[in-house]
Amino acid sequence: MNHSSLLPNYARQQIAFSHGKGSYLYSTNGDSYLDFASGIAVTAMGHNHPALVAALTEQAQKLWHVSNLFIIPEQEALANKLCQESFADLVFIANSGAEALECAIKMTRKYFASRNQPERHRIITFQGAFHGRTLATLAAGGNAKYLDGFAPDMPGFDHLPFGDLAAVEAAITANTAAILIEPIQGEGGVRVATREFLLALRKLADDCGLLLIFDEVQCGLGRSGSLFAYQQAGVAPDILCLAKALGGGFPISACLASQDAAGGMKAGSHGSTFGGNPLGCVIALKVLDLMTADGFLKSVQQRGEQFRLGLTKIITQHHNQSQFTEVRGQGLMIGLKCQAPVAEIQAALIAKKLLAVGASDNVLRLLPPLTVSAAEIDQALAIIAEVAAATAP
Ligand SMILES: *Cc1c(COP(=O)(O)O)cnc(C)c1O
């Protein structure tokens, strides 16, 4: 492409797609790709899912938007469903992951402000985290590369090594309000928090009167093999952020909370013009119906096991000369640690018509749709094996 009128803030692959079906994307120049990027863990039900297309087109002919000046029955139904499936009592619906996090951060500050403890406003977060690109969520993530040039950083965040319990214990002061963590870091390189660490954070939060916030924008909604990643650890947070897969490609997000954690939020405390419009809510409800149907999550677990087993085999075949050195993740949120720069591996896979996503720590993220078939996993494994052989160090 010679000239683009778009802000040059993305380094895009030079491919454009015209349509998709299930696990496949079709490019404008006629190639078909196996899509294990899923628009960064968004199109969890695959492309062009008939039930989602039907939900969207049916609602599109009725009503798109009225604003939160009015009751939105579809939004009520979505919130009910999210509460029914989780620890939560109350839900705020927004449009993007960062907005769900903004709600969590504001809710935390309001919680303590409403208890006459406004000095408790600092939030502990973890190195390698990604919480979004707004000024608050950038500060929460603390990634120097993303913050560069946008000073002054919003205050209120303490960044600690991921998994370091002693550091968390030492960092808690009279100003600490909450602990915010991704149970599985996505951007950070598919790093899974141990069950012990999450349990210990829950206990610390309870002992010190802190709120525990889980950012499941990427690892939530079936991706980990359970509807929410926290269910596998057996630890419930006080606040939970969801987004990417919630609308299966339609932009919608949610901030879930216990009655207690949401205690400071009153009429006027927060809002969004677009958040929770009938169109998005009907689609998200359908996504949740599909994900909670009998056997769906079981199949995600099985496909995940198949995929990880196959990847481990590729690594062991090449012994100490393997391009890939480690398989990470849970369910269908999988990371492959590479020796060569991950961008090179990604390009080699694209040349063989397999799409994947890069991450920090030189990790390749493999995020197939949760509807992926066993044969499609095998097809991806064959391509990855070819690239492993061709690029072995
Ligand atoms: C993608 C992501 C976000 C930000 O979501 P946006 O929709 O891009 O604002 C926040 N947290 C995590 C864990 C994410 O993966």
Side-chain angles (χ1 to χ4, degrees):
M1 215 172 291
N2 297 323
H3 172 78
S4 172
S5 302
L6 292 168
L7 203 65
N9 58 315
Y10 296 112
R12 300 174 195 271
Q13 300 290 342
Q14 293 304 298
I15 312 172
F17 302 101
S18 59
H19 61 290
K21 182 78 198 152
S23 302
Y24 291 90
L25 274 174
Y26 301 91
S27 71
T28 48
N29 52 13
D31 291 324
S32 64
Y33 290 82
L34 190 51
D35 183 11
F36 278 31
S38 297
I40 321 184
V42 168
T43 50
M45 307 311 297
H47 298 284
N48 216 343
H49 191 292
L52 297 185
V53 174
L56 182 145
T57 46
E58 199 180 300
Q59 186 61 36
Q61 292 167 41
K62 288 199 248 172
L63 188 64
W64 295 13
H65 175 89
V66 293
S67 89
N68 291 295
L69 295 173
F70 304 98
I71 294 168
I72 302 175
E74 297 82 0
Q75 195 184 116
E76 303 279 350
L78 175 58
N80 282 343
K81 174 75 173 169
L82 286 167
C83 290
Q84 183 192 315
E85 298 293 339
S86 74
F87 73 96
D89 304 307
L90 294 164
V91 177
F92 176 77
I93 306 289
N95 313 286
S96 65
E99 282 174 288
L101 267 296
E102 288 275 344
C103 178
I105 295 164
K106 287 179 72 176
M107 189 184 285
T108 297
R109 290 189 174 189
K110 201 74 163 175
Y111 176 84
F112 288 101
S114 71
R115 296 172 166 231
N116 292 318
Q117 294 180 292
E119 74 285 356
R120 296 186 71 172
H121 59 264
R122 298 196 67 83
I123 299 179
I124 288 173
T125 63
F126 294 93
Q127 289 159 11
F130 182 78
H131 299 300
R133 296 282 203 152
T134 62
L135 287 168
T137 56
L138 272 186
N143 185 329
K145 197 174 75 186
Y146 294 158
L147 283 161
D148 180 47
F150 299 117
D153 302 350
M154 197 183 104
F157 299 96
D158 297 307
H159 308 101
L160 305 178
F162 189 71
D164 188 341
L165 186 63
V168 180
E169 284 168 350
I172 294 173
T173 69
N175 299 121
T176 307
I179 301 168
L180 164 61
I181 186 169
E182 292 159 85
I184 307 173
Q185 284 192 344
E187 291 263 338
V190 192
R191 299 201 291 169
V192 183
T194 64
R195 180 186 154 81
E196 293 69 37
F197 186 57
L198 295 177
L199 276 166
L201 292 183
R202 177 70 273 175
K203 184 165 186 322
L204 261 183
D206 291 342
D207 291 348
C208 304
L210 311 177
L211 295 175
L212 182 61
I213 309 167
F214 285 171
D215 179 350
E216 293 206 19
V217 165
Q218 188 163 156
C219 65
L221 296 164
R223 182 57 57 188
S224 72
S226 51
L227 189 59
F228 305 110
Y230 77 79
Q231 291 168 324
Q232 292 193 36
V235 183
D238 302 298
I239 302 175
L240 178 77
C241 298
L242 301 173
K244 288 190 163 80
L246 186 56
F250 192 93
I252 182 167
S253 67
C255 178
L256 283 60
S258 68
Q259 185 89 45
D260 178 57
M265 304 301 273
K266 302 272 168 351
S269 293
H270 192 45
S272 164
T273 301
F274 293 118
N277 64 69
L279 196 52
C281 290
V282 158
I283 298 166
L285 253 177
K286 183 55 75 178
V287 168
L288 288 172
D289 282 345
L290 293 169
M291 283 185 179
T292 53
D294 268 357
F296 184 83
L297 293 167
K298 182 88 204 148
S299 139
V300 174
Q301 291 160 19
Q302 286 167 344
R303 294 290 87 80
E305 271 164 41
Q306 175 197 351
F307 204 3
R308 277 195 306 276
L309 210 71
L311 292 170
T312 306
K313 237 172 161 175
I314 291 170
I315 292 180
T316 45
Q317 268 163 10
H318 291 266
H319 301 290
N320 51 1
Q321 295 204 314
S322 177
Q323 170 60 250
F324 307 118
T325 56
E326 188 191 343
V327 184
R328 300 176 179 178
Q330 254 173 25
L332 285 171
M333 182 163 177
I334 295 178
L336 253 189
K337 176 106 171 136
C338 306
Q339 301 227 48
V342 66
E344 278 175 30
I345 300 302
Q346 207 183 347
L349 293 170
I350 288 178
K352 294 183 182 295
K353 307 291 181 280
L354 174 65
L355 305 177
V357 191
S360 317
D361 209 15
N362 212 40
V363 165
L364 182 80
R365 259 181 297 177
L366 294 157
L367 306 165
L370 304 183
T371 51
V372 70
S373 71
E376 288 161 349
I377 297 266
D378 283 338
Q379 192 189 344
L381 282 168
I383 294 172
I384 294 165
E386 284 175 34
V387 167
T391 62

